[in-house]
Amino acid sequence: MIEPNSELVIDYERVRNNIQIIKGKLPSNCKIMGVIKSNAYGHDLQMATEALDGAIDGYGVVRLGEALKIRETSSKPILTMQGVYSSDAYDALKQNNIWSVIHSISQLPLARQYQDDLQFWIKVNTGMNRLGVGLDELDQFESLLNDSSVLMTHLACADTPEDELNNTQFKNFDYAWNQIEIDIQRSVLNSAGVFNFPDKAYDWVRPGIAMYGGIDFSGLKTAMTFRSQIISIQSLPKNERLGYGGRVKTEQPSKIAIVYCGYADGFPQTAIDGTSVLVNSHRSHILGRVSMDLISIDVTEIPDCKIGDWCELWSPELSILENTKMNRLLSYELMTKMSQRVKRHYLNI
Ligand SMILES: *Cc1c(COP(=O)(O)O)cnc(C)c1O
């Protein structure tokens, strides 16, 4: 008898291993602001805070609520990376010693009211043209700065080092930093930046996805295991169509396993035939369209495959990148879209 469920097993030792690999790329005085926005990219904000507090120097979040949650258990620096927008929120920053990013002139009036009590990171727009103060506006922010302030920017093409926009952004960032009279700290790099441009690490780096093993650099491993069990096995003759739309036809007599997991669990609906799945440590692949609660995989070549066997959709042994590359998806999106109904297990907190 089985009581099947889709499961997400999060092993924080894997996350800490990834952080060690990140550290190996950095000068020893560079600090790590571990980015744990979006529920730690699906790795549970609260557990991640407990598990990673000794491994990183600070926390990068987006929402004030996330920052306050972390503050309940950690005394490390916390940065709201997209700023806050009301005096209530600024009061909360002050009461809880939370840092905030200023990225726009429109934030100046409120920020000035709190400048004696708060620590700001000034985000400068060096070419991504999303958030950030203009290079010609920077002088208006000088009154917010002291020698613990940080000048930051964000790279648009950190994952494509050959793109010329990177050099433009580095040049603009240098120009901005040289304009400022005080000797403030600097922060430029996200995960891909740490691996592609380690000489731009400066004082703080802001890795997110690399901690969770969602980018392809040597040694990093997917920290989460997304898995479920086989609940049925079909033995089909040649030329049988399979699943919704009957999109595939068996090319030979085939054994098809039906796995208790679908797009409502967080597996991508658009996964194409051939997307890898691990069954009993053997490589199998998706055959037929992914449905809400089920996927079908070809287990013809897998010995002793039976109902109740576990299938890994991604894990330290089957990188999430195999799925995202095959299906032109983002590991960020898959990790942050894991469904609530998936049963969680947390290891090595
Ligand atoms: C999300 C975010 C990061 C982390 O990016 P990764 O690609 O996950 O490393 C860093 N900096 C800022 C400003 C962000 O918003």
Side-chain angles (χ1 to χ4, degrees), residues 35 37 41 81 123 152 154 190-191 206-209 332:
V35 176
K37 62 190 177 189
Y41 293 45
M81 295 190 301
K123 184 171 192 172
M152 74 177 276
H154 195 54
N190 65 354
S191 295
R206 310 183 307 271
I209 196 74
Y332 298 77

Side-chain angles (χ1 to χ4, degrees), residues 275-325:
T275 302
S276 286
V277 171
L278 278 190
V279 188
N280 303 335
S281 303
H282 295 278
R283 198 167 283 249
S284 164
H285 58 266
I286 297 279
L287 208 59
R289 203 192 284 175
V290 172
S291 25
M292 186 185 294
D293 310 300
L294 297 169
I295 57 182
S296 42
I297 61 177
D298 185 352
V299 295
T300 311
E301 307 292 335
I302 296 178
D304 308 324
C305 183
K306 58 190 184 304
I307 289 173
D309 284 355
W310 285 96
C311 302
E312 291 180 4
L313 293 326
W314 50 78
S315 71
E317 284 71 43
L318 177 69
S319 170
I320 192 169
L321 294 159
E322 289 211 23
N323 192 310
T324 56
K325 283 179 183 169

Side-chain angles (χ1 to χ4, degrees), residues 137-172:
E137 298 170 333
L138 256 187
D139 52 329
Q140 300 177 57
F141 294 80
E142 294 250 347
S143 73
L144 301 183
L145 304 176
N146 55 47
D147 52 17
S148 331
S149 306
V150 180
L151 184 72
M152 74 177 276
T153 197
H154 195 54
L155 300 177
C157 303
D159 53 353
T160 42
E162 66 281 6
D163 195 303
E164 64 190 28
L165 185 50
N166 288 302
N167 280 329
T168 305
Q169 290 200 259
F170 295 141
K171 226 170 54 209
N172 288 337

Side-chain angles (χ1 to χ4, degrees), residues 57-75:
D57 304 293
Y59 297 95
V61 298
V62 169
R63 302 290 167 95
L64 178 60
E66 297 171 319
L68 295 173
K69 191 98 214 154
I70 297 168
R71 189 50 87 224
E72 287 172 14
T73 57
S74 176
S75 56

Side-chain angles (χ1 to χ4, degrees), residues 81-348:
M81 295 190 301
Q82 289 174 16
V84 296
Y85 301 90
S86 68
S87 34
D88 282 354
Y90 275 93
D91 285 337
L93 295 181
K94 183 173 152 185
Q95 277 154 24
N96 294 281
N97 187 26
I98 295 165
W99 301 349
S100 185
V101 165
I102 303 292
H103 60 78
S104 158
I105 291 258
S106 65
Q107 292 174 287
L108 260 184
L110 258 182
R112 283 217 175 100
Q113 285 176 34
Y114 287 83
Q115 69 187 39
D116 296 333
D117 302 308
L118 291 182
Q119 195 60 58
F120 293 119
W121 286 36
I122 306 296
K123 184 171 192 172
V124 60
N125 176 18
T126 54
M128 184 169 184
N129 296 318
R130 192 177 60 173
L131 295 181
V133 173
L135 293 172
D136 55 349
E137 298 170 333
L138 256 187
D139 52 329
Q140 300 177 57
F141 294 80
E142 294 250 347
S143 73
L144 301 183
L145 304 176
N146 55 47
D147 52 17
S148 331
S149 306
V150 180
L151 184 72
M152 74 177 276
T153 197
H154 195 54
L155 300 177
C157 303
D159 53 353
T160 42
E162 66 281 6
D163 195 303
E164 64 190 28
L165 185 50
N166 288 302
N167 280 329
T168 305
Q169 290 200 259
F170 295 141
K171 226 170 54 209
N172 288 337
F173 188 73
D174 286 346
Y175 173 81
W177 192 68
N178 287 324
Q179 266 186 53
I180 297 166
E181 307 268 303
I182 339 165
D183 188 21
I184 68 171
Q185 300 175 56
R186 285 173 281 183
S187 175
V188 173
L189 304 178
N190 65 354
S191 295
V194 166
F195 289 89
N196 287 328
F197 303 105
D199 58 316
K200 306 289 182 191
Y202 300 124
D203 303 286
W204 285 93
V205 293
R206 310 183 307 271
I209 196 74
M211 299 198 297
Y212 313 108
I215 50 171
D216 204 0
F217 285 99
S218 73
L220 298 177
K221 285 259 195 305
T222 305
M224 56 165 62
T225 297
F226 181 23
R227 63 179 196 177
S228 193
Q229 279 170 291
I230 294 172
I231 59 164
S232 180
I233 294 183
Q234 299 275 354
S235 292
L236 301 179
K238 190 179 165 176
N239 284 335
E240 279 293 309
R241 292 172 70 189
L242 173 59
Y244 281 121
R247 90 168 168 195
V248 279
K249 207 184 246 179
T250 51
E251 289 174 357
Q252 55 178 3
S254 299
K255 225 168 50 169
I256 305 297
I258 310 300
V259 186
Y260 197 76
C261 174
Y263 60 78
D265 298 277
F267 194 84
Q269 197 280 326
T270 52
I272 60 174
D273 297 320
T275 302
S276 286
V277 171
L278 278 190
V279 188
N280 303 335
S281 303
H282 295 278
R283 198 167 283 249
S284 164
H285 58 266
I286 297 279
L287 208 59
R289 203 192 284 175
V290 172
S291 25
M292 186 185 294
D293 310 300
L294 297 169
I295 57 182
S296 42
I297 61 177
D298 185 352
V299 295
T300 311
E301 307 292 335
I302 296 178
D304 308 324
C305 183
K306 58 190 184 304
I307 289 173
D309 284 355
W310 285 96
C311 302
E312 291 180 4
L313 293 326
W314 50 78
S315 71
E317 284 71 43
L318 177 69
S319 170
I320 192 169
L321 294 159
E322 289 211 23
N323 192 310
T324 56
K325 283 179 183 169
M326 186 95 180
N327 296 304
R328 298 161 164 262
L329 297 169
L330 281 180
S331 58
Y332 298 77
E333 188 176 354
L334 294 189
M335 286 178 178
T336 53
K337 276 192 173 164
M338 297 301 306
S339 149
Q340 271 316 310
R341 81 177 188 187
V342 178
K343 189 172 174 199
R344 265 69 171 176
H345 298 279
Y346 305 103
L347 307 180
N348 296 310

